[in-house]
């Protein structure tokens, strides 16, 4: 069992599902605590199926997305909350960054996951990275005594974007999610507003499983998720 805490921050309510649901499930299965925070619901730009409903409203889409994301998070043992900042464009002001920093100070995550700092096809993902990176730095301060409340520095990783080769994403960590892949599929199936992504990310997990097998020689690995470290990890020995 572990008392490790994981914080996953997405620009939109479904982002964690496609990119990190397996890693979250592995974390909580081992006894860790996981929180998912979305900066927006993706109500305007990423809820296409819901906008096919006649007389649809933004508030109704938000309610639907909150319910979907809550069910998906529960499927992998995490909690879900949203700052509801709006999307396309996502704009994160200083108050929102400070709110995110306060969440980090209270939760004291051992690891933080979010988006890459580049994405030529999505205007909100780099904004989310910038906000999370700044909040994380504000949380830890200069790692000396400070005149404000701080928390220990966390590990900091970005999860795989939809088109990694165009986002400067080079995997440095693979998480074997074979044993929890059914939980990830359950989480993905909860996101009915973006059902078109389910097959893509199921196939991506298979691809990364192949890469993880080549790295380790472990033929038991069938599915994996990829991450890239932003700051180095520290170990006692190699």
């Amino acid at each position: 069992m572990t008392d490790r805490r994981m914080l996953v921050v997405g620009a939109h309510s479904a982002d964690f599902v496609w990119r990190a649901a397996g890693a979250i499930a592995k974390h909580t299965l081992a006894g860790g605590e996981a929180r998912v925070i979305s900066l927006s619901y993706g109500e305007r730009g990423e809820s296409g199926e819901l906008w096919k409903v006649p007389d649809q409203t933004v508030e109704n889409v938000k309610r639907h997305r909150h319910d979907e994301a809550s069910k998906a998070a529960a499927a992998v043992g995490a909690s879900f909350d949203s700052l509801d900042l709006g999307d396309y464009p996502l704009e994160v002001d200083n108050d929102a960054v400070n709110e995110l920093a306060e969440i980090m100070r209270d939760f004291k995550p051992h690891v933080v996951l979010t988006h890459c700092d580049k994405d030529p096809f999505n205007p909100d993902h780099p904004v989310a990275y910038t906000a999370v990176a700044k909040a994380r730095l504000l949380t830890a301060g200069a790692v000396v005594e400070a005149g404000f409340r701080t928390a220990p520095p966390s590990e900091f990783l970005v999860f795989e974007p939809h088109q990694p080769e165009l986002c400067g994403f080079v995997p440095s960590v693979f998480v074997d999610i074979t044993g929890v892949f059914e939980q990830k599929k359950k989480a993905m199936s909860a996101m009915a507003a973006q059902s078109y992504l389910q097959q893509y990310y199921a196939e991506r997990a298979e691809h990364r499983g192949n890469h993880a097998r080549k790295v380790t020689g472990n033929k038991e690995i069938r599915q994996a998720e990829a991450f890239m470290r932003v700051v180095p990890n520290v170990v006692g020995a190699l």
Side-chain angles (χ1 to χ4, degrees):
M1 298 292 286
T2 178
D3 61 356
R4 282 175 62 82
R5 294 176 297 279
M6 174 185 286
L7 180 67
V8 185
V9 183
H12 315 108
S13 59
D15 290 332
F16 79 97
V17 176
W18 319 119
R19 299 169 173 88
I24 296 168
K26 288 292 290 283
H27 177 84
T28 58
L29 184 64
E33 183 179 359
R35 289 189 64 180
V36 175
I37 303 291
S38 74
L39 300 181
S40 81
Y41 285 111
E43 65 274 9
R44 283 159 39 88
E46 303 206 346
S47 303
E49 293 300 312
L50 296 176
W51 286 107
K52 295 177 182 178
V53 177
D55 302 317
Q56 185 63 276
T57 67
V58 168
E59 289 308 314
N60 189 56
V61 170
K62 287 181 181 181
R63 285 192 294 270
H64 193 96
R65 294 282 281 182
H66 186 93
D67 184 58
E68 285 186 347
S70 297
K71 290 177 180 177
V76 293
S79 64
F80 172 79
D81 293 291
S82 178
L83 300 191
D84 191 13
L85 300 177
D87 69 315
Y88 287 82
L90 171 65
E91 297 180 344
V92 185
D93 61 17
N94 284 336
D95 287 343
V97 170
N98 287 329
E99 182 178 0
L100 192 54
E102 279 297 291
I103 290 170
M104 292 181 183
R105 291 182 186 117
D106 289 337
F107 188 52
K108 298 180 176 62
H110 295 90
V111 59
V112 173
L113 307 178
T114 193
H115 297 274
C116 285
D117 62 347
K118 301 182 185 70
D119 193 327
F121 297 112
N122 192 301
D124 293 349
H125 292 172
V127 173
Y129 171 86
T130 299
V132 174
K134 186 174 183 179
R136 178 183 171 276
L137 289 174
L138 290 172
T139 300
V143 199
V144 295
E145 293 301 319
F148 55 91
R149 192 164 62 101
T150 62
S154 65
E155 295 182 58
F156 189 26
L157 297 88
V158 295
F159 39 60
E160 183 165 15
H162 193 77
Q163 294 184 301
E165 65 278 7
L166 299 178
C167 300
F169 179 86
V170 179
S172 55
V173 177
F174 290 119
V175 177
D176 174 11
I177 65 168
T178 307
V180 296
F181 189 55
E182 291 303 314
Q183 287 176 256
K184 174 161 184 165
K185 289 200 297 184
K186 183 177 180 180
M188 291 195 296
S189 69
M191 307 309 297
Q194 290 177 280
S195 59
Y196 56 89
L197 289 176
Q198 293 176 22
Q199 181 179 350
Y200 178 90
Y201 280 100
E203 292 174 355
R204 174 57 67 179
E206 300 281 350
H207 298 158
R208 291 310 192 184
N210 176 276
H211 299 159
R213 287 196 299 276
K214 290 182 180 297
V215 170
T216 62
N218 181 357
K219 297 180 180 180
E220 300 301 315
I221 299 175
R222 307 315 306 172
Q223 294 90 17
E225 288 174 342
F227 301 87
M228 182 172 72
R229 290 191 181 277
V230 179
V231 296
N233 63 318
V234 178
V235 298
L238 294 178

